[in-house]
Amino acid sequence: MSASSFLKALKAEGLSVVEVGDWRDHHRNHKGPWGPVHGVMIHHTVTRGGARTVDICRKGYEGLPGPLCHGVVTKDGKVHLVGYGRANHAGLGDDDVLRAVIAEKALPRDNEANTDGNRHFYGFECENLGDGEDPWPAVQLEAIERAAAAVCRHHGWNERSVIGHLEWQPGKADPRGFTMASMRERVRDRLK
């Protein structure tokens, strides 16, 4: 899907979208290919404050240049587009998980990190401290659901194409504070 189609799909799903700078041309494609893309990955940011979170996800930080995702879902339910193309969000993960996502089957337990996820996943970073105590406002959870559903709807994918970082890479805990099973149920219901 083109950057314009990505924006159109998000808006068609009823999301409030904020375009940040030259997001359409902000990517890490010089580090390797983006695609074929097979799914959507959900993260938490371990940050507080929408503007600060968007800035970090756009620019990155020492040792990990941005963009760190395609869209940032802030607590107010807005989706801030910070990049399009290869983004530093997924890292290395389990090839068995990727095969399950492609086949839209139940996920196996992630137990290795041998496959480049930045190539194969759209990434949404979601503003949250990730400590299990920072709340997830209903409007934010709905925006995550809508964003994931928008991408799935465009590609003709079902809810099994939506995974959490914790399901991709051993040792990751995000997103923390809701389950990916519950988010996939929400996406499934929205796609009906």
Side-chain angles (χ1 to χ4, degrees):
M1 129 166 79
S2 68
S4 294
S5 296
F6 182 56
L7 175 63
K8 184 178 178 182
L10 294 171
K11 287 184 173 181
E13 208 65 46
L15 287 159
S16 176
V17 180
V18 179
E19 299 180 68
V20 182
D22 63 343
W23 70 272
R24 295 168 190 261
D25 299 311
H26 187 51
H27 50 70
R28 304 281 301 155
N29 291 0
H30 65 284
K31 289 294 185 179
W34 190 50
V37 185
H38 298 294
V40 179
M41 190 172 295
I42 307 299
H43 306 263
H44 65 231
T45 58
V46 194
T47 59
R48 176 177 282 137
R52 177 175 174 266
T53 297
V54 170
D55 190 57
I56 289 169
C57 289
R58 176 170 169 63
K59 296 177 183 172
Y61 51 86
E62 189 175 334
L64 192 66
L68 303 184
C69 61
H70 301 97
V72 181
V73 183
T74 48
K75 289 204 179 263
D76 60 5
K78 292 181 180 169
V79 178
H80 303 257
L81 300 182
V82 297
Y84 200 74
R86 186 179 179 90
N88 277 334
H89 72 98
L92 293 176
D94 194 314
D95 61 339
D96 294 326
V97 172
L98 180 60
R99 280 191 286 278
V101 169
I102 292 168
E104 296 182 316
K105 296 189 176 204
L107 297 177
R109 186 175 164 276
D110 57 330
N111 62 5
E112 56 190 346
N114 61 3
T115 301
D116 175 11
N118 294 334
R119 176 179 184 174
H120 296 294
F121 290 93
Y122 295 92
F124 288 96
E125 288 280 358
C126 307
E127 178 193 352
N128 192 278
L129 292 176
D131 58 6
E133 296 178 16
D134 190 14
W136 290 91
V139 67
Q140 186 182 28
L141 289 172
E142 184 176 335
I144 297 166
E145 166 197 325
R146 286 176 183 267
V151 175
C152 289
R153 193 180 307 282
H154 176 87
H155 286 286
W157 297 336
N158 72 29
E159 74 281 357
R160 290 189 179 208
S161 295
V162 181
I163 68 171
H165 200 195
L166 77 169
E167 296 171 308
W168 171 246
Q169 190 178 79
K172 293 296 181 180
D174 57 317
R176 188 169 177 206
F178 65 88
T179 67
M180 284 308 301
S182 69
M183 185 54 66
R184 279 190 285 272
E185 286 176 11
R186 292 174 69 135
V187 171
R188 180 198 64 214
D189 292 348
R190 178 161 293 280
L191 289 171
K192 284 184 179 174

